[in-house]
Amino acid sequence: MADTMQFDLVSPERSLASLAVSSVQIPGADGDMTAMPDHSPLITTLRPGVLRIDGPSGQAEYLVSGGFAEINATSLSVLAEKAIPLNEVTRAHIDEMIEEARAEHETAKEVFKNEPGPVDDAAKLLADMMALGDHINV
């Protein structure tokens, strides 16, 4: 078993990380998971949360608002809708993300009046963003 795997974190704005890691805790849409070298191939969606990286160069944490993670035995790629190093997150970042989620929920309620699926998804995103704001406590 290899000790490390290649990790890449990108958002639409920029590439945030590209390094060797020993593990990454991922806020998956179906629950938190930890990816390590020799992981079985998997693609998962992300929910708003904190991505935690542990590697030879130390630890790092990033706030992610959603996106996708592709895991295989030798690498992990995370394509985040929005990602910010946790030590750079301000209350304004959290408030902006909550307001975006709130607007998406209101739009879903108007557009999908008789389709609960999209409205429920938007409500879950809003609840996740609000809980994340409470958890980070900035």
Side-chain angles (χ1 to χ4, degrees):
M1 181 171 127
D3 291 340
T4 62
M5 63 194 296
Q6 177 61 34
F7 170 72
D8 293 294
L9 172 60
V10 295
S11 72
E13 296 85 25
R14 63 184 172 153
S15 174
L16 287 106
S18 182
L19 62 147
V21 298
S22 53
S23 68
V24 179
Q25 293 178 358
I26 302 166
D30 293 325
D32 292 348
M33 66 176 69
T34 301
M36 299 173 73
D38 294 328
H39 196 286
S40 296
L42 174 73
I43 295 177
T44 187
T45 55
L46 304 178
R47 65 167 168 53
V50 177
L51 191 98
R52 291 183 173 84
I53 302 163
D54 190 19
S57 59
Q59 297 179 334
E61 296 179 316
Y62 295 88
L63 172 78
V64 294
S65 64
F68 298 90
E70 181 180 8
I71 307 166
N72 65 51
T74 60
S75 67
L76 165 60
S77 297
V78 174
L79 307 172
E81 292 171 3
K82 188 176 286 189
I84 307 167
L86 195 58
N87 61 359
E88 295 177 14
V89 173
T90 65
R91 187 72 226 176
H93 288 118
I94 299 294
D95 291 343
E96 177 185 337
M97 293 167 85
I98 290 171
E99 283 310 309
E100 288 173 5
R102 185 171 281 122
E104 286 181 36
H105 183 237
E106 291 302 318
T107 300
K109 288 193 301 187
E110 288 295 318
V111 173
F112 300 103
K113 290 183 190 239
N114 295 319
E115 300 176 51
V119 176
D120 293 345
D121 291 345
K124 170 100 171 69
L125 175 64
L126 176 57
D128 285 347
M129 291 306 303
M130 294 174 75
L132 182 60
D134 291 342
H135 173 73
I136 291 178
N137 209 12
V138 289

